[in-house]
Amino acid sequence: FEDAVHTAQVLAYSKAEQAEYFDSQKAYWDAYSVMTTALNEATEKGLRQGLQQGLQEGKELGKLEANLATAKKLLAKGFSIAEIAEMLELSEDDIKENL
């Protein structure tokens, strides 16, 4: 009902007033479209960056876990923590803290 009343009010405007009204509506929707597009692009960019960061962190964690599993086997075979750290490029503290 409100839309019908609004439409009737706009139709009661003079041609100049109608043109001004429609121009202002177009400017509003153009600005809205620009803002929405920018927000969507920023959101998508943020999601892509977050996904890439998460994948990188997951790879690093997976590598650490694999190296620690190998370190555990090497310790069982009699290798020293210093030797294991050197071979697997881990810190001695990482090995001590996680095994």
Side-chain angles (χ1 to χ4, degrees):
F1 178 75
E2 290 177 18
D3 288 342
V5 171
H6 180 71
T7 300
Q9 289 172 338
V10 171
L11 292 174
Y13 293 165
S14 69
K15 294 293 180 192
E17 290 171 327
Q18 284 181 5
E20 186 178 325
Y21 172 79
F22 290 124
D23 286 346
S24 72
Q25 288 295 299
K26 182 182 180 314
Y28 169 83
W29 286 109
D30 287 349
Y32 178 83
S33 177
V34 167
M35 286 186 338
T36 302
T37 300
L39 180 60
N40 287 341
E41 288 174 0
T43 300
E44 288 176 19
K45 181 179 178 183
L47 288 173
R48 281 192 304 273
Q49 287 175 343
L51 179 60
Q52 288 173 351
Q53 182 179 351
L55 288 172
Q56 183 62 34
E57 289 174 8
K59 285 179 185 178
E60 291 171 8
L61 181 59
K63 181 180 177 183
L64 176 62
E65 289 175 354
N67 281 345
L68 290 172
T70 302
K72 187 174 184 178
K73 292 176 185 176
L74 291 172
L75 266 176
K77 295 283 185 181
F79 287 88
S80 72
I81 290 178
E83 291 171 319
I84 295 169
E86 182 182 338
M87 286 186 283
L88 298 179
E89 297 178 354
L90 293 172
S91 72
E92 291 185 26
D93 288 338
D94 280 341
I95 296 169
K96 292 175 186 174
E97 290 172 9
N98 292 290
L99 296 182

